Structures are given as C-alpha cells and as structure tokens.
Amino acid sequence: MATAPDKLLLRLEWKVVRRLDGRLQGAHRTAHRGSGIDFTGLRPYSDGDDARHIDWNVTARLDAPHLRVFTEDRELTVWLVLDRSASMAAGRPGRGKHDVLAELALVLARLFGRGGNRVGALLFDAGMLRVVPPGTSRRHALRIGAELERTSEARGGATTDLAEMLDAAGRLARRRALIVVLSDFIGDGDWERSLQRLARRHEVVALRIVDTADDVLPEAGLIVVEDAETGEQLIVDSADPLLRVRFRAAVDARDARLTAGMRRAGVPVHRIDTDRDLAEALVEVVARTRDRSP
C-alpha cells in the first residue's frame, strides 16, 4: 500500500518533475561544483603549464620538471535545510507553508538525485534536529518525505533560532556542497553572521516560503492573533487604521532586513508563495539562477 509521501511524490513527478527535469542541472553552474579534487598522477611539465602544480620532490628525483595532475569530483552533494518550526504551519489546510515545504523537498531531492547527485536533509525545529544522510535514489527521496511526516506534529514553544539552524547546517556539511535553505525566515538569532559563515564555505540558496497570512492583516473586526512560535495570544481590532499601518510597516521592515542580510551574504533568495503553482515558481527560480550565472 502506497504511503502518503509515495502518493505525493507520484503526483509531483507527474506535475512538476517532468517539467523541470534537466533544467535544474543546467542552471547550476558554480566554481564550487563538486565535493573535492582527486590526485590522479604525474606528467612532464610543458611550456604554459601552471608552475604551482609542479611536484618538486619528483622533479628533483627525475631531474626533470613534473606536474601533479588532478581530476575534479563532479558529484554534487546537496543539503536541504528544512524549517519545521511552528510558524511554518500557517496557511490554509492542505496548502500551508509546511505543505509547500514538503513538496519542494521531495521535488528537489528527486531532481538532484536523478542527476546522479547525493541529497541529504536537515530537519530543524526548536530543541529538535533530525538528519537524513545524503543519497540518490527515489527511495531516498521518500525517506526525506517520511521524516517530514514524522516532524509535522511536533512543535516547539520557543521562537525559531535561525542562526542555530544555519550553524547546524555548517557543522553537518563538512565538504563543499550546495545548501538549499527552505524556510519562512521568521525567527530570532544573529542569522546574518551565521549565513555569511555558511556562504564562505558552500554555495547557499534560500527559498523563502510565504503565505498571505504573513503579509496581510484581514479586515475582520475583533480577531484573536496568536504567535505561532510562542503561543502568545492577543485580541486586536483588525479594522483599526493605525494597527494596519503598523502591521504593514513591520512587514516591510522584516522584508527589508531579510533582503539586505541575504545580499550582504551573497546568497540569492527566491520567494515561493503558497498560492503559486509549484512548477511555475521553480521555473522562475531556475531562470533567475541562470541570469545570475557568469
């Protein structure tokens, strides 16, 4: 009997993966591609060769200059950093931020895995960290989906520490990798410094998952507003003009801080709205990535 992740992946393979297969690999062009450089042998030095690669011990022994020859490991290791905090539960049933995150994780794991790359996942919430080691198969993508299901009901009471989430990714990815952070980026911590440290060692891409509830205060009179991260509740008049102005200013300030922090770290951030068609959103991400490529 097919599991929920299996059914979801079957649907996504039909609706999304088939449309994107091949585009994602072509869009990923980076000087950091590959997880390492392997020594393969020696050859005599020729005019124009890079003298920095001369093996002086062999040169002295053979009384003729020889170069060390390397080949690059072209396998790409991808880490999906998945925000499982309480704020990711926002949105309408069946299409909340955590639903979109699950779809994105399965699609990316499947797409990168089909290209022969190894994909791992870090699932992060307050006081909880789960890791799926890198793998390539369809079954491996389903394993990531199963872990997402396991973490869907456990919610911490503390605000998400974005810095700790990014630092955890840095500790996990010991070799150079592509790190894709899937989050709404609602939380605390000096995340910008952590992001800069991560981006110095790895290629980092941010997929910011956004729901209308994050940006718009509905005009519905008296409403109960609850902080999804802390559980704190307040009764507010959503029609109050001053409240609406303050809410809009807070949203704009939050977005500006996020954009500026990502820019300073040199990390591209792509907005994924929960009401967007997932394939269209990812096609747009690929197009923007190609536009940034040298």
Side-chain angles (χ1 to χ4, degrees):
M1 183 175 179
T3 63
D6 196 15
K7 291 178 181 177
L8 177 59
L9 184 54
L10 282 170
R11 177 171 64 82
L12 292 172
E13 284 175 327
W14 179 254
K15 293 182 63 177
V16 181
V17 174
R18 289 170 66 248
R19 291 174 59 182
L20 289 171
D21 201 12
R23 297 196 189 195
L24 195 62
Q25 303 301 328
H28 184 75
R29 300 191 310 170
T30 168
H32 300 318
R33 176 68 183 261
S35 58
I37 302 293
D38 295 327
F39 171 69
T40 56
L42 297 163
R43 68 170 175 81
Y45 176 85
S46 299
D47 288 342
D49 286 336
D50 190 341
R52 291 175 298 180
H53 294 162
I54 292 177
D55 187 316
W56 294 107
N57 289 331
V58 174
T59 296
R61 188 166 64 249
L62 299 179
D63 198 24
H66 278 70
L67 291 182
R68 293 171 63 88
V69 180
F70 300 87
T71 58
E72 185 179 2
D73 176 8
R74 300 301 294 176
E75 178 189 83
L76 175 69
T77 298
V78 181
W79 283 102
L80 304 178
V81 180
L82 307 175
D83 182 356
R84 303 299 293 157
S85 62
S87 66
M88 290 295 294
R92 70 181 189 272
R95 198 59 186 173
K97 289 187 285 187
H98 67 289
D99 297 304
V100 174
L101 178 141
E103 292 184 3
L104 281 168
L106 281 172
V107 166
L108 293 174
R110 191 72 180 114
L111 283 169
F112 279 114
R114 281 160 69 101
N117 304 300
R118 301 170 69 245
V119 184
L122 181 156
L123 294 82
F124 184 87
D125 194 2
M128 181 174 65
L129 176 68
R130 285 187 177 146
V131 176
V132 179
T136 60
S137 66
R138 186 181 189 277
R139 180 177 296 179
H140 184 73
L142 289 173
R143 181 182 175 188
I144 294 175
E147 286 297 327
L148 283 166
E149 275 207 321
R150 289 180 61 193
T151 58
S152 63
E153 296 182 3
R155 297 296 177 199
T159 303
T160 305
D161 190 334
L162 296 173
E164 175 55 28
M165 181 175 73
L166 297 170
D167 288 340
R171 292 191 297 269
L172 189 64
R174 297 183 179 180
R175 302 183 71 181
R176 186 174 287 161
L178 169 64
I179 297 180
V180 185
V181 184
L182 289 79
S183 173
D184 57 7
F185 292 95
I186 295 176
D188 292 335
D190 185 10
W191 61 266
E192 185 177 339
R193 186 176 302 175
S194 297
L195 183 64
Q196 290 173 352
R197 284 197 297 266
L198 192 64
R200 279 197 292 268
R201 292 190 57 202
H202 307 281
E203 182 175 4
V204 183
V205 176
L207 299 184
R208 181 190 173 203
I209 303 172
V210 181
D211 187 80
T212 303
D214 295 331
D215 294 343
V216 178
L217 187 66
E219 291 193 55
L222 293 178
I223 59 174
V224 177
V225 178
E226 178 176 328
D227 188 320
E229 299 278 345
T230 65
E232 181 182 1
Q233 292 184 337
L234 293 173
I235 298 177
V236 300
D237 182 1
S238 62
D240 183 348
L242 182 57
L243 175 65
R244 298 186 69 81
V245 168
R246 288 177 174 174
F247 182 86
R248 185 69 256 169
V251 168
D252 292 342
R254 179 197 67 199
D255 291 353
R257 286 194 301 270
L258 178 63
T259 300
M262 291 288 178
R263 184 183 299 116
R264 283 190 287 267
V267 172
V269 56
H270 305 280
R271 177 176 171 130
I272 307 290
D273 289 276
T274 56
D275 58 0
R276 282 283 308 274
D277 176 81
L278 189 61
E280 290 180 1
L282 287 175
V283 166
E284 185 176 296
V285 169
V286 170
R288 289 177 58 191
T289 301
R290 282 178 172 156
D291 289 343
R292 293 181 73 255
S293 298

